[in-house]
Amino acid sequence: MILVGRGFTFDDLEPGFRFRTHRRTISEADRAAFTGLSWLTEELFAVDEENKPRLVPGALVYSFAEGLLLPTMQDTGLAFLNATLDVKGPTVVGDTIHVECEVVEQRLASKGERGLVRFANRVVNQRGETVLEYNPLRLLKKT
């Protein structure tokens, strides 16, 4: 019987493999909860200026991107090892984001039952603008 909802394994992937996630709209409640929980309370995010869009922290965008990607690693992801992250543009309350991913590197780990996979991830808004890029290296189950 096929198990639904399981993420990609090392063997499912190869360099050049691409996919995208579902979308998620960022709400004012999301911004308020995230800034309160994370203490990212700088005025840029915490003070409401009339007739100006509400900016959200890049850390929120990254966190939502990882949440959107969870189904691709469900039951197969073993560790997030590292990444570089580059905020490319502003994200505001009301923006709808998705993640576009490409496998850029793949190799077996020293223990053969798992492998290392590096992705190039782009977070894209509803206008087709890339707002964040990062390249996570993940440890995945082999099969």
Side-chain angles (χ1 to χ4, degrees), residues 84-137:
T84 58
L85 185 141
D86 189 14
V87 176
K88 296 295 197 178
T91 302
V92 299
V93 169
D95 277 353
T96 300
I97 61 171
H98 69 271
V99 187
E100 297 177 0
C101 307
E102 181 176 356
V103 175
V104 294
E105 178 186 343
Q106 180 190 38
R107 66 183 187 278
L108 282 174
S110 56
K111 294 183 178 180
E113 71 276 2
R114 46 192 168 179
L116 298 164
V117 180
R118 184 167 304 275
F119 297 85
N121 292 352
R122 292 184 332 121
V123 181
V124 180
N125 66 21
Q126 73 276 11
R127 294 176 296 281
E129 302 162 338
T130 299
V131 295
L132 188 138
E133 291 180 343
Y134 67 108
N135 63 347
L137 179 63

Side-chain angles (χ1 to χ4, degrees), residues 28 31 42-55 92-93:
E28 174 58 28
R31 186 212 55 81
E42 62 184 279
E43 288 189 14
L44 185 64
F45 309 121
V47 175
D48 187 12
E49 294 188 42
E50 198 169 322
N51 299 321
K52 284 194 169 186
R54 296 299 303 263
L55 292 169
V92 299
V93 169

Side-chain angles (χ1 to χ4, degrees), residues 15-104:
F17 179 79
R18 297 176 62 183
F19 61 93
R20 70 160 274 183
T21 67
H22 287 288
R23 301 170 295 158
R24 170 77 154 81
T25 299
I26 300 170
S27 70
E28 174 58 28
D30 295 328
R31 186 212 55 81
F34 188 87
T35 56
L37 179 65
S38 64
W39 274 90
L40 289 173
T41 56
E42 62 184 279
E43 288 189 14
L44 185 64
F45 309 121
V47 175
D48 187 12
E49 294 188 42
E50 198 169 322
N51 299 321
K52 284 194 169 186
R54 296 299 303 263
L55 292 169
V56 298
L60 180 149
V61 177
Y62 164 75
S63 296
F64 278 28
E66 285 292 285
L68 288 167
L69 284 164
L70 178 65
T72 70
M73 298 171 276
Q74 187 70 39
D75 188 45
T76 59
L78 299 172
F80 176 100
L81 300 173
N82 69 36
T84 58
L85 185 141
D86 189 14
V87 176
K88 296 295 197 178
T91 302
V92 299
V93 169
D95 277 353
T96 300
I97 61 171
H98 69 271
V99 187
E100 297 177 0
C101 307
E102 181 176 356
V103 175
V104 294

